Amino acid sequence: MAVHSHRRQVLLFLAAVLVPCIALVGLGVRLVVQERELALGRVAEEQRRVVALLRDELRNELEGIALRQAAAAVARPGFLVTDQYGDPVVALIARVSDGRLVLPWEADPRADATRRVLGRAPFAEQVRAGEQIEFGGGDPARAVAAYRRALVLAEDTVQGAHARLFLARALRKAGRAEDAETEYRKVAALTGVVDRQGIPLSLYAVRQLLETGVSDEAVVEPLRAVLLAGEWLAPAAIYLLQDLVSDLVERVADEPLEPAVRRLSADVAVALARTEHALALQRDLPALGLPVGRSIETEARARVIEATDAPSGASRQSRLPWVRHGPWLVGAAPMPEGEAPLIVAVDPVPVLASLELPAVQGAGAIGARIVFSQGAELGGEPLSPEFPGLAVLFQPPRPDGAAPWEAGRWWFYGAGLALVVGATLFGAYLLWRDTRREVALAATRSQFVSAVSHELKTPLTAIRMFAESLQMGRPTDAESRDEYLATIVNESERLTRLLNNVLDFSKIERDRKTYHRQLTALDEVVRRSARAMH
């Protein structure tokens, strides 16, 4: 029964200590979890704010670029033909006609001007006469004279350049290679003169010079001049230029001109890639969803009306979109009423690089950058419906999942919780130790009382027994009566000593016991003990 009561007390004690500790730990963990959830919520809110800032910055940057290019296109009619737009991030500007993108070389008026100039009499008649003699009669020597007369009749550079090109061809066929080379060099040095297909005449001259073995500055400089003329080249011209430069690279190997020619080859590759991107954009324009069927201003107003009429909470889009096409961001420039829609292609790399977060006010505390749509697969946040294909990619979290200050705070919470739980358990241990000591002391007292009770019964029993015997008159002789009386006296003294021991024990507990040491005869102590046992 005592064991069962003791177990129940232990269980109650453990419940009284462990339940508050478990509750305290649970509250601490809940506090930490809530704090982390709030921190994640703050991070998500900060990310949304950064996305909005970057979206606004990118929108303003692109709209500024488009507005500047639209103003330049209106002010300068020949602006769309050049490939130097005054802004290094602009890769292409082209008008849209009947839903089709008109690429710069298609809008170049020089090819049409060449057709008109070459058709003027008497120059055209003299050229036809020379061609009839060269090809129909098979007499290049006589054709040389006809072409020289055409050169004399030339009214401008275009007619003169074509006459020299025809003359050099006839001279070469007539076996006058040196004279032909001289004429080819003159044509190669001309810039800005194109044929009916928009191909620079200097490229034809360079090709003929390369076939005759010429590989000096006379062919390198014309190629460089064509590439750096600041105008878009027709696809046929750029492919011809690539072939000529490739041939020249093989010819000047291990020569002083090799570094310059290789740089020229790299520049031609860049120009060719840009031309191919422009052709791909022309082909894919109808599928991009850009407003090319009506004026940009009308489209913009329609989008604003749609955004105004949209129900509350619906996605609104009041700006013209910019879409990704290959390496470019493509958008429509806001042109005035009556003007053909204008498409602007921008190289996004320098534009996105300029949108570093330190430049975005208040966003320096979080790292992010705008990437193309594949960034969304890495956890990126879509930038905006206005910029399909773009996403904001944030810096990955630390390996421990928290910032340094946040990790320090978790350590502080953990240390505080451990300290509180440890103090509680230590206090419980002290209480348990004191309780065990009190229980042991109570058991000792109980044993002491039991022992004292037993010891008190022995002298009392002897005193009563001998007293009753005397009362009953059983001992008849004086010696026996004296012995009975001595026993009663001795047991009374023994009883007194027991009571004095009890009093001494009480004084010891109250720390009031005073000890007086004195000499005592051992034989008397032994005698009393023997008599008590007897």
Side-chain angles (χ1 to χ4, degrees):
M1 188 70 178
V3 174
H4 179 71
S5 176
H6 179 69
R7 288 181 178 176
R8 185 176 62 180
Q9 292 176 356
V10 170
L11 293 176
L12 290 176
F13 175 78
L14 292 177
V17 173
L18 293 180
V19 170
C21 289
I22 294 174
L24 183 61
V25 171
L27 290 176
V29 172
R30 180 58 181 168
L31 177 63
V32 171
V33 171
Q34 286 182 343
E35 187 67 23
R36 177 176 286 275
E37 292 176 351
L38 291 175
L40 293 177
R42 289 192 295 269
V43 170
E45 183 179 356
E46 179 69 10
Q47 289 181 350
R48 287 192 294 270
R49 187 180 69 85
V50 169
V51 169
L53 288 173
L54 289 175
R55 182 185 62 244
D56 294 340
E57 288 292 322
L58 180 59
R59 176 195 301 137
N60 294 336
E61 182 70 18
L62 293 176
E63 288 181 352
I65 293 172
L67 284 172
R68 290 193 297 271
Q69 305 311 313
V74 172
R76 296 161 50 192
F79 179 72
L80 299 180
V81 179
T82 179
D83 65 349
Q84 303 296 326
Y85 301 113
D87 195 330
V89 303
V90 178
L92 172 67
I93 301 176
R95 292 189 183 276
V96 178
S97 178
D98 297 328
R100 180 181 179 275
L101 188 66
V102 180
L103 295 175
W105 58 83
E106 297 175 339
D108 191 350
R110 292 180 302 172
D112 292 336
T114 298
R115 296 188 187 97
R116 290 194 301 270
V117 169
L118 294 181
R120 294 176 185 170
F123 174 81
E125 296 174 355
Q126 191 62 46
V127 169
R128 282 195 294 270
E131 291 177 344
Q132 180 66 30
I133 296 172
E134 179 184 359
F135 298 105
D139 190 354
R142 290 179 55 207
V144 168
Y147 291 139
R148 287 191 185 278
R149 286 192 295 272
L151 181 59
V152 173
L153 294 174
E155 298 176 353
D156 56 17
T157 305
V158 174
Q159 289 181 347
H162 280 80
R164 288 188 183 277
L165 191 62
F166 301 151
L167 175 60
R169 182 182 63 200
L171 288 171
R172 184 178 179 184
K173 290 182 179 180
R176 300 166 60 181
E178 293 183 0
D179 294 337
E181 181 178 338
T182 301
E183 296 299 330
Y184 278 132
R185 286 180 180 271
K186 292 179 180 180
V187 176
L190 297 175
T191 58
V193 180
V194 300
D195 65 358
R196 295 178 178 88
Q197 288 74 39
I199 300 176
L201 291 185
S202 59
L203 296 183
Y204 296 119
V206 168
R207 181 172 63 181
Q208 297 301 323
L209 290 174
L210 288 176
E211 290 180 357
T212 59
V214 178
S215 59
D216 54 13
E217 287 288 344
V219 295
V220 175
E221 287 302 324
L223 296 179
R224 183 184 295 112
V226 169
L227 186 63
L228 301 180
E231 298 172 345
W232 282 84
L233 294 176
I238 194 67
Y239 287 124
L240 176 57
L241 179 60
Q242 183 191 34
D243 293 339
L244 296 176
V245 172
S246 300
D247 188 14
L248 189 58
V249 168
E250 298 177 359
R251 291 175 181 268
V252 299
D254 300 328
E255 294 185 9
L257 282 176
E258 182 180 10
V261 174
R262 291 197 177 278
R263 286 195 299 270
L264 181 61
S265 177
D267 294 339
V268 170
V270 173
L272 177 60
R274 188 174 63 165
T275 301
E276 291 177 344
H277 293 326
L279 290 171
L281 177 60
Q282 182 186 54
R283 181 183 64 251
D284 300 335
L285 182 64
L288 296 182
L290 294 176
V292 297
R294 49 180 172 174
S295 71
I296 304 301
E297 291 295 332
T298 303
E299 180 71 17
R301 285 195 295 269
R303 289 179 181 268
V304 171
I305 294 174
E306 292 174 3
T308 305
D309 295 340
S312 177
S315 175
R316 297 188 174 190
Q317 182 177 348
S318 61
R319 304 295 184 100
L320 297 174
W322 287 77
V323 297
R324 179 194 177 191
H325 183 273
W328 296 338
L329 281 178
V330 182
M335 297 294 289
E337 284 287 350
E339 293 285 343
L342 194 67
I343 296 299
V344 179
V346 176
D347 181 5
V349 175
V351 176
L352 299 182
S354 67
L355 300 179
E356 296 292 342
L357 280 182
V360 182
Q361 182 179 5
I366 184 171
R369 56 191 175 92
I370 300 179
V371 296
F372 289 120
S373 57
Q374 60 266 25
E377 301 174 0
L378 304 176
E381 182 74 17
L383 184 60
S384 171
E386 302 170 27
F387 301 106
L390 292 181
V392 179
L393 184 63
F394 294 94
Q395 289 182 352
R398 289 163 47 90
D400 55 3
W405 61 269
E406 189 178 358
R409 184 169 56 186
W410 302 144
W411 277 108
F412 175 76
Y413 285 162
L417 185 61
L419 180 62
V420 172
V421 174
T424 303
L425 294 178
F426 182 69
Y429 166 73
L430 295 179
L431 179 61
W432 175 252
R433 188 186 65 176
D434 292 343
T435 302
R436 290 188 60 188
R437 185 171 60 185
E438 291 296 331
V439 170
L441 182 60
T444 302
R445 288 175 178 174
S446 178
Q447 293 176 0
F448 175 76
V449 171
S450 177
V452 168
S453 300
H454 178 72
E455 291 295 330
L456 289 176
K457 286 181 180 180
T458 301
L460 286 176
T461 301
I463 291 172
R464 181 176 181 179
M465 180 185 67
F466 286 106
E468 288 179 352
S469 297
L470 291 174
Q471 185 180 10
M472 295 172 61
R474 287 186 178 179
T476 55
D477 55 311
E479 183 178 357
S480 297
R481 285 196 297 272
D482 292 338
E483 183 180 358
Y484 280 17
L485 291 175
T487 302
I488 292 173
V489 172
N490 290 332
E491 293 301 319
S492 298
E493 292 176 353
R494 180 182 175 187
L495 182 60
T496 300
R497 289 195 300 273
L498 290 174
L499 293 175
N500 289 334
N501 289 337
V502 172
L503 294 176
D504 289 341
F505 180 77
S506 176
K507 290 179 180 180
I508 291 173
E509 282 192 334
R510 295 195 303 271
D511 199 20
R512 296 176 59 185
K513 173 64 177 175
T514 304
Y515 296 92
H516 301 282
R517 300 180 182 276
Q518 62 182 8
L519 296 176
T520 302
L522 187 57
D523 55 349
E524 180 62 26
V525 176
V526 174
R527 190 179 301 110
R528 286 198 301 269
S529 300
R531 185 170 57 248
M533 294 300 295
H534 176 73

